[in-house]
Amino acid sequence: MADIKYTKDHEWVRVEGDTATVGITDYAQEQLGDVVYVELPDIGKTVGQGDEAAVVESVKAASEVYAPVSGEVIEINDGLADAPAGVNDDAMGSGWFVKLRLSNTSELEKLMSEDEYKTYLAELD
Amino acid sequence: MADGSSHDLKTTPLHSLHVELGAKMVPFAGYDMPVQYPLGVLGEHNHTRAKAGLFDVSHMGQAFLEGPDHETTARALEALVPGDMRGLARGQQRYTVLLTDDGGIIDDLMVARSASADDDGRLFLVVNASRKDVDYAHIASCLPQGVTLAPATERALLALQGPAAVEVMARHCPQAADLTFMSATSAEFVVGGQSIDCHVSRSGYTGEDGVEISVPAAHAQTMARALLAHDEVEPIGLGARDSLRLEAGLCLYGNDIDETTSPVEASIAWVIPKHRRVAGDFPGAERILRELADGPSRKRVGILPDGKAPARGHTEIQVAGAAVGEITSGGFGPTTDGPVAMGYVALAHAKVGTSLDLIVRGKPRTAHVARLPFAPHRYAK
């Protein structure tokens, strides 16, 4: 299983080689409610850790998705343009937002493991 | 994500039912209110348009304006609003606005004249939750001797909206089926051998047919549970309430209208009948009559973004790089399956079809002025 890390803002990142796939967690999609629009960055854009990487809009509000790690955008999930509800259906899988070419693997150490994220969520409730 | 603290918030008589039904509760106008139920905002919106949705609107203000006879009470209210209150027939309801001396809107409200000759001289008011203290103080300070305002704090208010709403309501309250749009009556709601006194109007704020039911707080849960027991009815939260009223092109106080906007600017000049325009006998008449004659400087219009990105309230509207207005309500319209918005633009840009740029997250996105409502009104004729 690939290594998945989590941010306090409820993004996840799965690292395979130097590719980091980024999405929002199941908890986040549930909090947002029905997703109706996803704004994705241009391919080739460089983002720093914590920079805005995408915007996800639910019926009620727009929320920023921050890059868990720095890198260059090498792929975006075009399917979300036509079917934004894919984020609700499979936030941790096919509802991913962007793939980044990881530029600094040490940044991953600042993120939470799955167990740490679960503990963090339990504290939020 | 905002972490809504629930202390110091008021609750409605249906609060425990919302929690029991699994609602996500949020602070709204000083109340702990359901924003959505497990069905979700989209599902709730679509269910209301297809069948019937039950809304708890008990946070809104209900009050009786009482005087010795209809003429006296209606005249007292006409001093504060531009509508025809004296001409209200028994059992008729009307939408109007409280005005400042400058012609700004203090609040929008519903006014119903009692259907019963025994209660002549009594008008039933429903005002916005966020404005009730302001409204009541304003009204009370302007009343002539012999006319009093009595807030009905021990009453709940439910709205049942959607194409199946009246049929479902009529199973408990046959009089509901006889009401025409914007008429109201005292009625009995029968459930399990119990008969509950209530006040029913055929009205609502979703663009759909439906009723609003004022009921003593002690009976609100019984009534709500009876209505929810029908397959056609789902509970609906504030999220879908907002998207339904936006698609219906209806103003939300605090977003689309406030003390700076006049009824002419808000495109609700229809609340001012001809005889009152001629008389000019309402607060702010000088400004309002001037705007009616010369056109207002800005106007509320419907706005359809061309792409899929919703544009929210406070989004700047530009034409050729210059700011010409602001979106006041905007989001995703589930019935239209795309973004919808409304806002104010300078009069020169208010014509249907006019191209606009909406500055969403710093980037201009094309849009155009569109006719309201976005979802056709389906009120009972």
Side-chain angles (χ1 to χ4, degrees):
Chain A
M1 194 170 163
D3 192 18
I4 301 180
K5 297 271 196 178
Y6 298 83
T7 71
K8 285 189 172 178
D9 294 315
H10 309 287
E11 291 96 6
W12 57 263
V13 54
R14 181 194 295 118
V15 178
E16 289 155 300
D18 67 348
T19 300
T21 305
V22 175
I24 62 169
T25 66
D26 208 43
Y27 173 87
Q29 70 79 18
E30 205 161 281
Q31 292 292 309
L32 285 169
D34 304 298
V35 172
V36 296
Y37 179 74
V38 175
E39 184 173 300
L40 297 170
D42 294 331
I43 289 172
K45 182 182 174 181
T46 302
V47 293
Q49 188 175 33
D51 288 355
E52 181 183 305
V55 177
V56 58
E57 300 223 23
S58 68
V59 180
K60 281 297 280 177
S63 309
E64 290 82 21
V65 178
Y66 302 107
V69 288
S70 308
E72 181 192 341
V73 177
I74 52 171
E75 196 178 337
I76 58 174
N77 190 352
D78 279 328
L80 295 181
D82 294 326
V87 177
N88 296 116
D89 297 338
D90 190 11
M92 300 294 297
S94 60
W96 61 275
F97 286 23
V98 296
K99 293 189 182 187
L100 305 170
R101 182 176 295 119
L102 202 57
S103 58
N104 183 355
T105 51
S106 71
E107 288 172 349
L108 289 164
E109 289 160 23
K110 299 178 201 163
L111 305 177
M112 286 181 273
S113 69
E114 184 161 352
D115 283 349
E116 286 167 335
Y117 182 64
K118 278 182 181 162
T119 306
Y120 173 67
L121 285 186
E123 284 165 2
L124 289 182
D125 288 336
Chain B
M1 273 162 220
D3 164 31
S5 161
S6 61
H7 58 250
D8 294 340
L9 290 173
K10 287 178 271 190
T11 57
T12 75
L14 296 182
H15 187 268
S16 63
L17 178 61
H18 299 315
V19 173
E20 180 185 318
L21 292 169
K24 187 188 283 184
M25 306 296 289
V26 298
F28 180 81
Y31 286 80
D32 193 34
M33 295 295 288
V35 65
Q36 66 175 78
Y37 298 88
L39 187 56
V41 177
L42 271 185
E44 291 169 30
H45 181 112
N46 291 331
H47 185 89
T48 304
R49 293 253 186 263
K51 290 179 182 168
L54 183 69
F55 303 71
D56 178 12
V57 283
S58 305
H59 58 310
M60 297 185 75
Q62 304 180 64
F64 293 103
L65 193 62
E66 292 170 314
D69 52 66
H70 176 68
E71 173 74 17
T72 307
T73 311
R75 200 181 277 279
L77 188 55
E78 281 194 1
L80 309 177
V81 305
D84 177 14
M85 297 298 132
R86 283 185 283 166
L88 271 176
R90 288 201 177 106
Q92 194 179 9
Q93 188 176 46
R94 196 159 274 162
Y95 174 80
T96 192
V97 290
L98 288 168
L99 292 171
T100 68
D101 289 338
D102 299 327
I105 300 171
I106 297 169
D107 199 5
D108 59 342
L109 67 157
M110 286 286 198
V111 181
R113 180 180 175 186
S114 174
S116 160
D118 298 343
D119 291 331
D120 224 13
R122 171 183 270 205
L123 295 173
F124 176 55
L125 315 183
V126 178
V127 305
N128 281 298
S130 62
R131 299 297 284 175
K132 57 187 166 190
D133 293 345
V134 174
D135 295 347
Y136 293 165
H138 173 67
I139 295 170
S141 73
C142 296
L143 291 178
Q145 255 197 338
V147 181
T148 54
L149 181 74
T153 50
E154 293 305 308
R155 296 186 79 81
L157 191 66
L158 309 184
L160 188 66
Q161 298 281 292
V166 171
E167 196 224 307
V168 170
M169 183 65 184
R171 291 174 202 159
H172 299 274
C173 176
Q175 294 117 299
D178 301 330
L179 293 171
T180 52
F181 182 56
M182 293 296 268
S183 66
T185 188
S186 294
E188 303 271 303
F189 184 98
V190 178
V191 50
Q194 185 185 1
S195 187
I196 302 169
D197 285 328
C198 61
H199 179 267
V200 185
S201 66
R202 196 145 185 185
S203 58
Y205 225 62
T206 59
E208 298 296 325
D209 188 14
V211 290
E212 290 184 318
I213 317 149
S214 173
V215 56
H219 299 296
Q221 286 230 6
T222 305
M223 183 181 283
R225 286 177 194 276
L227 291 169
L228 289 168
H230 298 281
D231 287 345
E232 296 93 333
V233 183
E234 288 286 345
I236 310 297
L238 292 171
R241 185 165 184 254
D242 195 49
S243 53
L244 288 160
R245 72 94 200 157
L246 170 59
E247 282 185 341
L250 303 171
C251 292
L252 176 64
Y253 196 90
N255 283 36
D256 309 297
I257 46 177
D258 58 32
E259 290 196 7
T260 72
T261 51
S262 77
V264 185
E265 291 177 327
S267 300
I268 53 169
W270 53 265
V271 301
I272 316 169
K274 187 162 174 222
H275 74 272
R276 299 218 59 193
R277 296 180 190 202
V278 170
D281 60 347
F282 49 85
E286 188 189 336
R287 168 187 175 187
I288 288 170
L289 295 177
R290 186 179 67 238
E291 289 179 350
L292 283 168
D294 304 337
S297 59
R298 58 177 178 165
K299 202 166 184 292
R300 181 178 65 100
V301 294
I303 297 164
L304 270 181
D306 291 338
K308 292 251 176 148
R312 311 279 174 180
H314 305 298
T315 298
E316 185 175 297
I317 304 169
Q318 294 186 354
V319 169
V324 299
E326 190 182 88
I327 289 197
T328 49
S329 285
F332 178 80
T335 305
T336 57
D337 193 25
V340 290
M342 49 197 194
Y344 284 83
V345 293
L347 195 63
H349 307 289
K351 223 177 129 198
V352 169
T354 303
S355 294
L356 306 170
D357 288 318
L358 310 179
I359 310 304
V360 178
R361 292 184 283 277
K363 279 182 275 184
R365 293 179 178 275
T366 59
H368 59 276
V369 177
R371 220 173 283 286
L372 290 172
F374 298 112
H377 291 164
R378 299 196 290 186
Y379 305 130
K381 291 289 185 286

